[in-house]
Amino acid sequence: MALLDIQQRIAVAEEKAGRPAGSVELIAVSKVQPNERVAEVLRQGHRMFGENRVQEAAGKWPDFRVEFADVQVHLIGPLQTNKVNQALELFDAIHTVDREKLAKKLADAVQKRGACPELFIQVNTGEEPQKAGVVPTEVDAFVKTCRETYGLPIAGLMVIPPVDEEPSLHFALLRKMAERNGLAGLSMGMSSDFERAIALGATHVRVGSAIFGERVASVNK
Ligand SMILES: *Cc1c(COP(=O)(O)O)cnc(C)c1O
């Protein structure tokens, strides 16, 4: 069973890193997966999932939540400001806060709702032009803006390293930035590198294909 295998590998990685058992949260990335596969993982008892599109999550999770009320869904893909209200209905955590306009919209919506999802700031450590995220030199100022100007509680930082580089360099950089900003959360590590991310302090790993199998459609990367 793929889920059990990943859970065991996480436990081994935690132990190797000298970290407490259960200190790493597994986000099962269910984007583009058929509902039967997602239902199977729910029946196996897993409750934390990741989606990268608001629309796709809206078509899937309200129904699953009827049967599995304690499920937690994390948004790990880009968020447009016009979808902020919908996102707050759907998600327990947002990993992709990456610009002031979005922070402002989130702050307004959170104030109206009176509840705030767990928020992570996405960092573009590789400074890739096509990738979302705050560049490293702007992270400290953006964390401060989120906290002080908008009163948003920031849980941590999130990274998607460049595909052709050693991810550990990016994980280590993210950890440094989190430490100097007093942030405990580190959302880093995917199917191919989650053990390296745990060695470098990941608190949330986002694992899709290693749990569910290869994604059938390639609409989403
Ligand atoms: C799809 C995705 C993942 C999971 O990728 P796998 O390689 O299938 O584990 C993790 N993080 C983000 C942001 C993603 O979009």
Side-chain angles (χ1 to χ4, degrees):
M1 184 176 100
L3 175 68
L4 192 63
D5 175 53
I6 299 303
Q7 288 168 332
Q8 283 167 349
R9 285 170 58 187
I10 289 172
V12 170
E14 284 171 338
E15 195 180 338
K16 265 194 195 160
R19 300 180 52 190
S23 54
V24 177
E25 299 278 8
L26 171 60
I27 301 170
V29 179
S30 48
K31 64 182 184 196
V32 200
Q33 298 290 351
N35 280 353
E36 309 81 74
R37 281 192 199 162
V38 181
E40 196 183 316
V41 170
L42 280 161
R43 283 194 297 269
Q44 287 162 356
H46 193 72
R47 290 293 179 268
M48 188 177 283
F49 292 83
E51 291 285 344
N52 73 337
R53 291 186 174 209
V54 176
Q55 242 19 71
E56 189 186 338
K60 192 186 296 183
W61 288 100
D63 288 342
F64 279 135
R65 278 190 201 270
V66 174
E67 194 180 346
F68 303 97
D70 55 343
V71 88
Q72 274 199 47
V73 187
H74 291 221
L75 178 65
I76 60 170
L79 178 57
Q80 293 167 270
T81 47
N82 63 357
K83 294 201 175 141
V84 160
N85 284 308
Q86 195 185 5
L88 293 190
E89 297 284 334
L90 288 165
F91 299 107
D92 304 280
I94 295 170
H95 291 238
T96 50
V97 181
D98 65 350
R99 58 201 189 279
E100 184 162 356
K101 195 175 162 210
L102 177 58
K104 180 176 183 343
K105 271 275 179 166
L106 279 167
D108 292 346
V110 160
Q111 196 160 40
K112 283 197 200 105
R113 283 175 69 87
C116 189
E118 202 177 8
L119 299 175
F120 292 79
I121 291 171
Q122 182 174 354
V123 184
N124 185 357
T125 55
E127 303 192 39
E128 297 172 279
Q130 81 285 6
K131 200 167 268 178
V134 181
V135 295
T137 50
E138 286 166 17
V139 167
D140 298 0
F142 187 61
V143 171
K144 194 163 184 267
T145 299
C146 287
R147 284 173 167 160
E148 294 178 11
T149 309
Y150 298 109
L152 290 171
I154 302 297
L157 303 179
M158 177 271 217
V159 71
I160 309 170
V163 284
D164 52 354
E165 289 180 27
E166 169 52 46
S168 293
L169 300 173
H170 296 270
F171 298 155
L173 184 59
L174 197 75
R175 176 159 83 173
K176 252 199 191 142
M177 291 186 287
E179 275 170 0
R180 72 173 183 242
N181 283 286
L183 293 167
L186 285 172
S187 169
M188 58 190 199
M190 321 205 308
S191 290
S192 57
D193 55 23
F194 68 89
E195 284 139 321
R196 277 174 282 178
I198 291 169
L200 287 163
T203 58
H204 295 68
V205 294
R206 312 177 308 264
V207 180
S209 43
I211 293 174
F212 295 101
E214 286 304 318
R215 286 180 284 278
V216 184
S218 57
V219 249
N220 292 334
K221 279 197 296 186

mmCIF file of all heavy atoms in Angstrom, residues 129-150:
data_model
loop_
_atom_site.group_PDB
_atom_site.id
_atom_site.type_symbol
_atom_site.label_atom_id
_atom_site.label_comp_id
_atom_site.label_asym_id
_atom_site.label_seq_id
_atom_site.Cartn_x
_atom_site.Cartn_y
_atom_site.Cartn_z
ATOM 1 N N PRO A 129 11.885 32.953 -13.396
ATOM 2 C CA PRO A 129 10.904 33.954 -13.856
ATOM 3 C C PRO A 129 9.493 33.389 -14.019
ATOM 4 O O PRO A 129 8.517 34.098 -13.793
ATOM 5 C CB PRO A 129 11.469 34.433 -15.203
ATOM 6 C CG PRO A 129 12.586 33.519 -15.553
ATOM 7 C CD PRO A 129 13.018 32.807 -14.316
ATOM 8 N N GLN A 130 9.361 32.123 -14.396
ATOM 9 C CA GLN A 130 8.021 31.560 -14.648
ATOM 10 C C GLN A 130 7.365 31.082 -13.365
ATOM 11 O O GLN A 130 6.220 30.660 -13.360
ATOM 12 C CB GLN A 130 8.123 30.404 -15.654
ATOM 13 C CG GLN A 130 8.547 29.045 -15.097
ATOM 14 C CD GLN A 130 10.032 28.931 -14.764
ATOM 15 O OE1 GLN A 130 10.774 29.905 -14.842
ATOM 16 N NE2 GLN A 130 10.473 27.752 -14.375
ATOM 17 N N LYS A 131 8.091 31.110 -12.247
ATOM 18 C CA LYS A 131 7.560 30.523 -11.019
ATOM 19 C C LYS A 131 7.045 31.583 -10.059
ATOM 20 O O LYS A 131 7.610 32.668 -9.952
ATOM 21 C CB LYS A 131 8.661 29.687 -10.355
ATOM 22 C CG LYS A 131 8.109 28.675 -9.363
ATOM 23 C CD LYS A 131 9.159 27.666 -8.951
ATOM 24 C CE LYS A 131 9.145 26.421 -9.838
ATOM 25 N NZ LYS A 131 10.176 25.459 -9.485
ATOM 26 N N ALA A 132 5.964 31.220 -9.354
ATOM 27 C CA ALA A 132 5.406 32.118 -8.341
ATOM 28 C C ALA A 132 6.323 32.138 -7.127
ATOM 29 O O ALA A 132 7.232 31.317 -6.988
ATOM 30 C CB ALA A 132 4.016 31.652 -7.946
ATOM 31 N N GLY A 133 6.079 33.098 -6.245
ATOM 32 C CA GLY A 133 6.841 33.140 -5.001
ATOM 33 C C GLY A 133 7.619 34.423 -4.852
ATOM 34 O O GLY A 133 7.980 35.078 -5.826
ATOM 35 N N VAL A 134 7.876 34.755 -3.601
ATOM 36 C CA VAL A 134 8.656 35.935 -3.268
ATOM 37 C C VAL A 134 10.136 35.591 -3.461
ATOM 38 O O VAL A 134 10.566 34.492 -3.095
ATOM 39 C CB VAL A 134 8.398 36.294 -1.778
ATOM 40 C CG1 VAL A 134 9.173 37.529 -1.368
ATOM 41 C CG2 VAL A 134 6.908 36.476 -1.526
ATOM 42 N N VAL A 135 10.908 36.497 -4.045
ATOM 43 C CA VAL A 135 12.335 36.193 -4.201
ATOM 44 C C VAL A 135 13.038 36.336 -2.838
ATOM 45 O O VAL A 135 12.568 37.082 -1.974
ATOM 46 C CB VAL A 135 13.029 37.076 -5.272
ATOM 47 C CG1 VAL A 135 12.468 36.774 -6.653
ATOM 48 C CG2 VAL A 135 12.909 38.553 -4.941
ATOM 49 N N PRO A 136 14.141 35.609 -2.643
ATOM 50 C CA PRO A 136 14.771 35.559 -1.313
ATOM 51 C C PRO A 136 15.074 36.929 -0.695
ATOM 52 O O PRO A 136 14.862 37.109 0.506
ATOM 53 C CB PRO A 136 16.060 34.765 -1.566
ATOM 54 C CG PRO A 136 15.711 33.863 -2.692
ATOM 55 C CD PRO A 136 14.784 34.653 -3.574
ATOM 56 N N THR A 137 15.519 37.878 -1.518
ATOM 57 C CA THR A 137 15.874 39.177 -0.936
ATOM 58 C C THR A 137 14.658 39.940 -0.408
ATOM 59 O O THR A 137 14.812 40.901 0.344
ATOM 60 C CB THR A 137 16.563 40.079 -1.983
ATOM 61 O OG1 THR A 137 15.755 40.086 -3.167
ATOM 62 C CG2 THR A 137 17.953 39.579 -2.307
ATOM 63 N N GLU A 138 13.450 39.527 -0.805
ATOM 64 C CA GLU A 138 12.257 40.249 -0.354
ATOM 65 C C GLU A 138 11.460 39.528 0.724
ATOM 66 O O GLU A 138 10.425 40.019 1.177
ATOM 67 C CB GLU A 138 11.356 40.543 -1.564
ATOM 68 C CG GLU A 138 11.943 41.651 -2.414
ATOM 69 C CD GLU A 138 11.306 41.777 -3.788
ATOM 70 O OE1 GLU A 138 10.208 41.230 -3.998
ATOM 71 O OE2 GLU A 138 11.940 42.414 -4.647
ATOM 72 N N VAL A 139 11.958 38.358 1.123
ATOM 73 C CA VAL A 139 11.185 37.544 2.070
ATOM 74 C C VAL A 139 10.987 38.247 3.411
ATOM 75 O O VAL A 139 9.859 38.349 3.918
ATOM 76 C CB VAL A 139 11.850 36.165 2.287
ATOM 77 C CG1 VAL A 139 11.253 35.444 3.481
ATOM 78 C CG2 VAL A 139 11.674 35.316 1.031
ATOM 79 N N ASP A 140 12.070 38.755 3.994
ATOM 80 C CA ASP A 140 11.957 39.349 5.338
ATOM 81 C C ASP A 140 10.959 40.502 5.341
ATOM 82 O O ASP A 140 10.103 40.602 6.223
ATOM 83 C CB ASP A 140 13.316 39.854 5.830
ATOM 84 C CG ASP A 140 14.337 38.718 5.962
ATOM 85 O OD1 ASP A 140 13.979 37.563 5.670
ATOM 86 O OD2 ASP A 140 15.480 38.994 6.363
ATOM 87 N N ALA A 141 11.045 41.350 4.318
ATOM 88 C CA ALA A 141 10.143 42.500 4.247
ATOM 89 C C ALA A 141 8.698 42.042 4.035
ATOM 90 O O ALA A 141 7.766 42.603 4.617
ATOM 91 C CB ALA A 141 10.575 43.430 3.108
ATOM 92 N N PHE A 142 8.519 40.992 3.243
ATOM 93 C CA PHE A 142 7.146 40.537 2.981
ATOM 94 C C PHE A 142 6.529 39.880 4.219
ATOM 95 O O PHE A 142 5.345 40.080 4.512
ATOM 96 C CB PHE A 142 7.114 39.584 1.779
ATOM 97 C CG PHE A 142 5.720 39.216 1.355
ATOM 98 C CD1 PHE A 142 4.818 40.192 0.931
ATOM 99 C CD2 PHE A 142 5.284 37.897 1.403
ATOM 100 C CE1 PHE A 142 3.515 39.864 0.561
ATOM 101 C CE2 PHE A 142 3.987 37.553 1.032
ATOM 102 C CZ PHE A 142 3.102 38.547 0.613
ATOM 103 N N VAL A 143 7.320 39.128 4.950
ATOM 104 C CA VAL A 143 6.822 38.539 6.210
ATOM 105 C C VAL A 143 6.361 39.658 7.136
ATOM 106 O O VAL A 143 5.272 39.608 7.723
ATOM 107 C CB VAL A 143 7.913 37.688 6.908
ATOM 108 C CG1 VAL A 143 7.457 37.260 8.305
ATOM 109 C CG2 VAL A 143 8.263 36.457 6.075
ATOM 110 N N LYS A 144 7.180 40.702 7.220
ATOM 111 C CA LYS A 144 6.868 41.841 8.094
ATOM 112 C C LYS A 144 5.577 42.540 7.635
ATOM 113 O O LYS A 144 4.714 42.872 8.446
ATOM 114 C CB LYS A 144 8.056 42.820 8.042
ATOM 115 C CG LYS A 144 8.070 43.862 9.112
ATOM 116 C CD LYS A 144 9.492 44.473 9.215
ATOM 117 C CE LYS A 144 9.570 45.473 10.351
ATOM 118 N NZ LYS A 144 9.303 46.848 9.935
ATOM 119 N N THR A 145 5.464 42.747 6.336
ATOM 120 C CA THR A 145 4.252 43.383 5.801
ATOM 121 C C THR A 145 3.008 42.554 6.136
ATOM 122 O O THR A 145 1.983 43.090 6.569
ATOM 123 C CB THR A 145 4.368 43.535 4.266
ATOM 124 O OG1 THR A 145 5.492 44.358 3.983
ATOM 125 C CG2 THR A 145 3.122 44.172 3.667
ATOM 126 N N CYS A 146 3.094 41.249 5.924
ATOM 127 C CA CYS A 146 1.940 40.380 6.226
ATOM 128 C C CYS A 146 1.558 40.502 7.696
ATOM 129 O O CYS A 146 0.387 40.647 8.037
ATOM 130 C CB CYS A 146 2.266 38.925 5.900
ATOM 131 S SG CYS A 146 2.331 38.595 4.142
ATOM 132 N N ARG A 147 2.559 40.458 8.546
ATOM 133 C CA ARG A 147 2.291 40.487 9.987
ATOM 134 C C ARG A 147 1.838 41.859 10.454
ATOM 135 O O ARG A 147 0.819 41.997 11.121
ATOM 136 C CB ARG A 147 3.560 40.132 10.759
ATOM 137 C CG ARG A 147 3.894 38.651 10.746
ATOM 138 C CD ARG A 147 5.252 38.468 11.386
ATOM 139 N NE ARG A 147 5.548 37.075 11.693
ATOM 140 C CZ ARG A 147 6.774 36.618 11.899
ATOM 141 N NH1 ARG A 147 7.813 37.436 11.831
ATOM 142 N NH2 ARG A 147 6.963 35.341 12.180
ATOM 143 N N GLU A 148 2.616 42.875 10.103
ATOM 144 C CA GLU A 148 2.396 44.185 10.722
ATOM 145 C C GLU A 148 1.364 45.021 9.993
ATOM 146 O O GLU A 148 0.516 45.649 10.621
ATOM 147 C CB GLU A 148 3.727 44.929 10.849
ATOM 148 C CG GLU A 148 4.645 44.202 11.832
ATOM 149 C CD GLU A 148 6.015 44.832 11.982
ATOM 150 O OE1 GLU A 148 6.218 45.969 11.486
ATOM 151 O OE2 GLU A 148 6.890 44.183 12.585
ATOM 152 N N THR A 149 1.418 45.032 8.675
ATOM 153 C CA THR A 149 0.449 45.849 7.941
ATOM 154 C C THR A 149 -0.916 45.173 7.887
ATOM 155 O O THR A 149 -1.941 45.821 8.004
ATOM 156 C CB THR A 149 0.953 46.113 6.505
ATOM 157 O OG1 THR A 149 2.287 46.598 6.577
ATOM 158 C CG2 THR A 149 0.075 47.124 5.779
ATOM 159 N N TYR A 150 -0.912 43.851 7.718
ATOM 160 C CA TYR A 150 -2.183 43.154 7.495
ATOM 161 C C TYR A 150 -2.616 42.259 8.651
ATOM 162 O O TYR A 150 -3.688 41.653 8.602
ATOM 163 C CB TYR A 150 -2.120 42.370 6.177
ATOM 164 C CG TYR A 150 -1.908 43.322 5.018
ATOM 165 C CD1 TYR A 150 -0.694 43.369 4.341
ATOM 166 C CD2 TYR A 150 -2.907 44.222 4.656
ATOM 167 C CE1 TYR A 150 -0.489 44.289 3.316
ATOM 168 C CE2 TYR A 150 -2.718 45.137 3.636
ATOM 169 C CZ TYR A 150 -1.502 45.161 2.971
ATOM 170 O OH TYR A 150 -1.307 46.070 1.965
#
